[in-house]
């Protein structure tokens, strides 16, 4: 969500922009990093977590909570399979920012029935509201 630095209105917005954080398997996170989302904050903390077999559940949850607490992060992308592991923490997050979005991973397709944000959104509208 960072703008390009240079002349024009985009550069004025770049200083106030927020980061996208990513949590997932190596292929998922690498794809986003190649797209340019990787950053370190002033304390040299990355805005991403590559989860491997040896990554503990405590580390996954701790990183997720740390991303939610950071002022420089506006969106947390988390693979749905990880969100399922820490569902209680994902559902406990109720602030609008950072937004938490569940995404598919290479090995696990997206299941809308498991997405807590989508379930909340469905509860806000009736079928007549969408006509």
């Amino acid at each position: 969500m960072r703008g390009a630095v240079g002349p024009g209105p985009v550069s004025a917005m770049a200083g106030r922009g927020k980061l996208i954080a990513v949590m997932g398997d190596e292929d998922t996170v690498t794809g986003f990093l190649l797209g340019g989302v990787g950053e370190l904050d002033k304390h040299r903390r990355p805005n991403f977590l590559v989860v491997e077999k040896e990554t503990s559940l405590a580390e996954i949850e701790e990183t997720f909570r740390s991303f939610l607490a950071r002022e420089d992060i506006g969106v947390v992308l988390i693979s749905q399979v990880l969100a399922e592991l820490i569902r209680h923490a994902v559902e406990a997050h109720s602030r609008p920012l950072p937004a938490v979005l569940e995404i598919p991973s290479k090995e696990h397709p997206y299941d809308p029935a498991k997405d807590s944000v989508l379930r909340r959104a469905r509860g806000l509208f009736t079928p007549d509201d969408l006509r």
Side-chain angles (χ1 to χ4, degrees):
M1 292 180 46
R2 292 242 187 232
V5 177
V10 175
S11 64
M13 299 282 288
R16 295 187 306 241
K18 299 237 182 222
L19 299 175
I20 297 173
V22 183
M23 300 178 67
D25 61 85
E26 184 176 20
D27 290 342
T28 300
V29 174
T30 299
F32 281 99
L33 293 178
L34 289 171
V37 303
E39 297 266 344
L40 296 176
D41 69 1
K42 62 184 175 186
H43 303 291
R44 311 249 341 125
R45 296 176 300 181
N47 64 327
F48 57 91
L49 175 68
V50 175
V51 176
E52 299 174 311
K53 291 178 186 175
E54 56 274 355
T55 306
S56 71
L57 187 57
E59 183 180 355
I60 295 167
E61 186 171 345
E62 180 181 315
T63 301
F64 177 74
R65 290 183 189 277
S66 75
F67 288 163
L68 295 181
R70 285 177 51 176
E71 293 292 322
D72 62 337
I73 292 179
V75 177
V76 177
L77 300 178
I78 181 170
S79 65
Q80 194 171 55
V81 69
L82 294 181
E84 279 297 306
L85 296 174
I86 58 167
R87 180 59 61 200
H88 61 281
V90 172
E91 290 188 355
H93 176 65
S94 59
R95 295 186 339 253
L97 289 177
V100 176
L101 301 175
E102 296 178 27
I103 60 174
S105 63
K106 184 177 176 181
E107 301 294 325
H108 302 89
Y110 174 77
D111 182 355
K114 294 179 180 178
D115 190 325
S116 62
V117 174
L118 188 58
R119 283 198 314 263
R120 283 186 214 163
R122 282 187 182 143
L124 296 175
F125 301 101
T126 65
D128 292 333
D129 293 335
L130 302 175
R131 291 179 192 196

